């Protein structure tokens, strides 16, 4: 179990995941959280990262920093998604190794798995087939992150572990309509259509793609659970094991935010992976399962969105 008074570095503390991990660690009584903004430290710069680690000397690291976005951001900025993430994973893992960090958790993504992987996707499906082209750059960088943790463990004995979350949502998400993920985009689009008195709301793709959604507070809980009790080379899927179509998702958001609105599917936008649902039996076998139902999570995240919008405090 982690020492609650040891210095802990949460890399990426302002993002959806990092902010949830900070909340979870604070609630757990961690007393020495270390964070740094990108205006102070460029995590792609090895010597800057090394200097920062030399000064702060964290004993534990949550590596959840990265360039992230939805399907459109991934397809329009593939070089950034590949380069930024590749570098960030490399610099932080190497710096953690160099100063002797006792435990590091690296966060990947379910997009590491082949486009046509057997569903639900087991951890063993990694590198068994071609990747989904809409997020290949991001997926390649994420796969390298897993391999960094595995190889540093094998060669140096470092206790570096990896978790692979499914699609995430929750407070602190990016509500940008072009760059963000489907759930925050749909919440905002339905909300703005209702405010503007518009009866039709656009949804990208055919609506037939299937996705699984995990509340970010559940993910943060799983990350702490793994840091406290898991130490092995294999990565661990984190999800609910339950998926639905994008059409069903859009209807759920519609019924909450703008009941009666019509959906207009834009098939010129990509669906991405046809289906992406994780087999979560490994994590369940270790003793952890997700607690937040999708409906509950959508209701509370929408309430958060409305309040944050009123405060003028949204990432757009
Ligand atoms: O959330 P999203 O971008 O994630 O899209 P991916 C999920 C599905 O929702 C796709 C559809 O089939 C989209 O076409 N969709 C419908 C929308 N309306 C919208 C909308 O307004 N915005 C967005 N973004 N989608 C990402 C990867 O893929 O998943 C990343 O690109 C990352 O690399 C992330 O792994 C978890 O599951 O398609």
């Amino acid at each position: 179990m982690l020492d609650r008074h040891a210095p802990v570095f949460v890399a990426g503390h302002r993002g959806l995941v990092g902010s949830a991990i900070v909340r979870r660690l604070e609630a757990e009584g961690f007393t020495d959280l270390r964070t740094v903004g990108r205006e102070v430290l460029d995590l792609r710069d090895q010597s800057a990262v090394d200097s920062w680690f030399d000064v702060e000397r964290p004993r534990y690291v949550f590596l959840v920093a990265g360039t992230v976005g939805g399907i459109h951001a991934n397809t329009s900025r593939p070089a950034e998604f590949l380069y930024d993430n590749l570098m960030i994973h490399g610099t932080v893992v190497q710096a953690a190794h160099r100063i002797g960090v006792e435990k590091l958790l690296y966060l990947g993504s379910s997009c590491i798995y082949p486009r046509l992987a057997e569903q639900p996707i087991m951890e063993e499906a990694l590198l068994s087939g071609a990747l989904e082209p809409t997020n290949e750059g991001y997926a390649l960088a994420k796969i390298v992150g897993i391999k960094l943790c595995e190889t540093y463990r094998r060669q140096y004995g470092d206790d570096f572990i990896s978790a692979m979350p499914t699609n995430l949502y929750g407070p602190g998400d990016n509500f940008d309509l072009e760059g963000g993920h489907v759930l925050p985009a749909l919440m905002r689009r339905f909300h703005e259509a209702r405010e503007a008195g518009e009866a039709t709301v656009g949804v990208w793709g055919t609506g037939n793609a299937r996705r699984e959604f995990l509340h970010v507070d559940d993910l943060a809980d799983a990350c702490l659970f793994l840091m406290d009790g898991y130490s092995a080379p294999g990565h661990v899927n984190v999800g609910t094991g339950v998926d639905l179509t994008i059409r069903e998702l859009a209807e759920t958001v519609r019924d909450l935010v703008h009941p009666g609105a019509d959906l207009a599917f834009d098939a010129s936008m990509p669906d991405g992976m046809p289906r992406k649902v994780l087999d979560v039996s490994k994590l369940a076998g270790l003793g952890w399962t997700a607690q937040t139902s999708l409906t509950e999570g959508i209701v509370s995240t929408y309430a958060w969105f409305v309040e944050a919008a009123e405060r003028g405090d949204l990432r757009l």
Side-chain angles (χ1 to χ4, degrees):
M1 198 153 140
L2 302 188
D3 174 356
R4 272 45 184 163
H5 302 296
V8 183
F9 177 32
V10 180
H13 71 290
R14 288 189 187 137
L16 172 68
V17 174
S19 57
I21 287 182
V22 167
R23 282 197 298 278
R24 182 68 191 86
L25 295 179
E26 282 173 349
E28 185 68 20
F30 278 81
T31 54
D32 193 2
L33 299 186
R34 311 282 171 105
T35 57
V36 59
R38 69 176 62 191
E39 67 288 355
V40 176
L41 175 63
D42 181 351
L43 288 173
R44 298 169 303 180
D45 178 344
Q46 185 73 65
S47 63
V49 172
D50 281 341
S51 304
W52 194 85
F53 270 73
D54 281 338
V55 173
E56 302 290 332
R57 304 205 74 80
R59 276 174 62 197
Y60 311 127
V61 173
F62 288 80
L63 174 44
V64 300
T67 293
V68 298
I71 193 164
H72 181 64
N74 267 270
T75 47
S76 44
R77 293 159 39 215
E80 271 174 66
F81 277 76
L82 178 53
Y83 176 78
D84 288 358
N85 291 304
L86 200 56
M87 297 306 285
I88 290 169
H89 304 157
T91 62
V92 175
V93 165
Q94 169 61 18
H97 162 71
R98 199 176 60 85
I99 71 147
V101 161
E102 288 169 41
K103 190 149 194 167
L104 174 147
L105 177 128
Y106 163 73
L107 198 75
S109 160
S110 60
C111 70
I112 58 159
Y113 293 115
R115 170 179 167 79
L116 299 176
E118 197 178 312
Q119 308 281 329
I121 313 175
M122 298 188 71
E123 284 85 356
E124 291 72 24
L126 180 63
L127 293 174
S128 63
L131 296 167
E132 158 63 34
T134 54
N135 54 33
E136 191 182 38
Y138 184 70
L140 285 168
K142 287 283 165 192
I143 292 170
V144 168
I146 299 173
K147 292 299 171 188
L148 282 168
C149 292
E150 277 179 23
T151 54
Y152 275 63
R153 173 180 290 274
R154 196 183 321 138
Q155 184 174 344
Y156 305 121
D158 291 327
D159 193 358
F160 294 172
I161 60 172
S162 303
M164 294 307 117
T166 193
N167 288 35
L168 302 167
Y169 71 98
D173 212 338
N174 174 5
F175 284 82
D176 180 89
L177 290 175
E178 293 296 310
H181 291 97
V182 60
L183 241 176
L186 288 179
M187 279 183 197
R188 184 174 158 200
R189 233 185 264 126
F190 280 104
H191 180 84
E192 290 182 350
R194 189 190 69 203
E195 303 285 288
E198 289 162 10
T200 303
V201 175
V203 183
W204 294 353
T206 62
N208 298 327
R210 299 185 69 90
R211 292 290 184 276
E212 172 192 13
F213 295 92
L214 179 71
H215 192 283
V216 73
D217 287 342
D218 281 344
L219 173 72
D221 191 59
C223 289
L224 179 57
F225 175 84
L226 289 168
M227 280 292 263
D228 269 339
Y230 182 76
S231 177
H235 60 282
V236 183
N237 287 343
V238 188
T240 64
V242 178
D243 66 346
L244 76 174
T245 64
I246 295 301
R247 175 186 291 277
E248 288 164 338
L249 181 77
E251 287 169 352
T252 306
V253 176
R254 186 260 319 269
D255 294 348
L256 171 71
V257 178
H258 189 6
D262 294 319
L263 309 181
F265 289 95
D266 177 1
S268 71
M269 294 300 279
D271 272 344
M273 227 156 128
R275 191 174 182 205
K276 192 163 51 167
V277 61
L278 293 177
D279 182 309
V280 289
S281 50
K282 180 172 179 179
L283 186 53
L286 294 169
W288 189 92
T289 49
Q291 296 299 311
T292 314
S293 76
L294 182 57
T295 316
E296 206 186 323
I298 289 177
V299 168
S300 60
T301 303
Y302 180 61
W304 182 90
F305 163 78
V306 171
E307 276 180 30
E310 277 166 10
R311 285 198 311 271
D313 198 13
L314 278 178
R315 278 204 291 149
L316 296 176

